Amino acid sequence: MKIEPQHVVSLTYDLYVDQENGEEGLVESATQEQPLTFIYGAGQMLPKFEEHLSGLSTGDQYEFRLTADDAYGEYDNEAVASLPKEMFGTEEIPAVGTMLPLQDNQGNRLQGQVVSIAEDAVIVDLNHPMAGQALHFKGEILNVRPANEEELSHGHAHGADGHSGH
């Protein structure tokens, strides 16, 4: 069965990015024991990632690269915010490296990483952690099947077999 919209795809991958020394380094993996499983075409994955998988079948190997623009975009220096310490009220000021769940003025949810603590503010980087990086994927398609009605109504896969989850 070939990958197409409204099909559940389970796959392995190794994700590589360029390191400071100029060589590629492995930063993330999905294994046969813990594969990445998603509904193809449901908007859960990077569009160019899905585009490279289109038409592949169970057992197919794949390898492709995504530019930063096709992945998480270029790093935006303007996407660094200074949050007043008073915003945290009586809570402890988060440590550098902490990921903070935030919400913008339009109600959109986003994540920011604390990059430094100033005298009166917490400095948060709102860029995706992989912004500005080209991504190199290698992997194998483990399973392709039609999504069931429950998965389609929930908008996500219920595991490789369609029965895992909730």
Side-chain angles (χ1 to χ4, degrees):
M1 183 170 293
K2 291 196 178 303
I3 296 175
E4 57 185 69
Q6 297 191 339
H7 278 65
V8 173
V9 178
S10 292
L11 55 79
T12 66
Y13 70 83
D14 288 330
L15 171 57
Y16 301 88
V17 298
D18 290 337
Q19 304 294 307
E20 289 181 19
N21 65 7
E23 295 185 24
E24 280 192 339
L26 179 67
V27 294
E28 190 175 282
S29 292
T31 62
Q32 287 190 357
E33 297 76 30
Q34 293 189 317
L36 171 62
T37 301
F38 63 96
I39 299 176
Y40 183 86
Q44 301 163 324
M45 307 304 294
L46 294 168
K48 289 290 185 178
F49 179 85
E50 286 194 348
E51 187 177 301
H52 282 281
L53 300 176
S54 180
L56 296 180
S57 301
T58 300
D60 286 350
Q61 305 277 323
Y62 63 88
E63 180 175 357
F64 58 86
R65 296 174 192 277
L66 298 180
T67 64
D69 283 340
D70 289 338
Y72 296 102
E74 294 298 334
Y75 187 85
D76 181 2
N77 289 319
E78 301 293 315
V80 176
S82 178
L83 307 178
K85 284 186 175 177
E86 298 85 50
M87 181 178 148
F88 297 93
T90 59
E91 294 180 36
E92 188 175 326
I93 299 298
V96 171
T98 302
M99 294 299 290
L100 295 178
L102 300 169
Q103 194 169 357
D104 66 14
N105 294 336
Q106 289 77 41
N108 299 312
R109 295 182 187 280
L110 51 136
Q111 294 266 332
Q113 184 173 25
V114 176
V115 292
S116 66
I117 309 293
E119 185 175 325
D120 59 349
V122 175
I123 312 305
V124 178
D125 186 347
L126 302 171
N127 285 287
H128 187 281
M130 291 192 182
Q133 297 186 61
L135 308 180
H136 180 193
F137 290 94
K138 293 181 186 180
E140 179 182 358
I141 307 301
L142 299 177
N143 191 40
V144 180
R145 64 169 177 80
N148 63 44
E149 290 299 321
E150 187 177 30
E151 290 171 315
L152 292 173
S153 70
H154 289 180
H156 60 263
H158 292 171
D161 62 1
H163 302 290
S164 301
H166 50 120

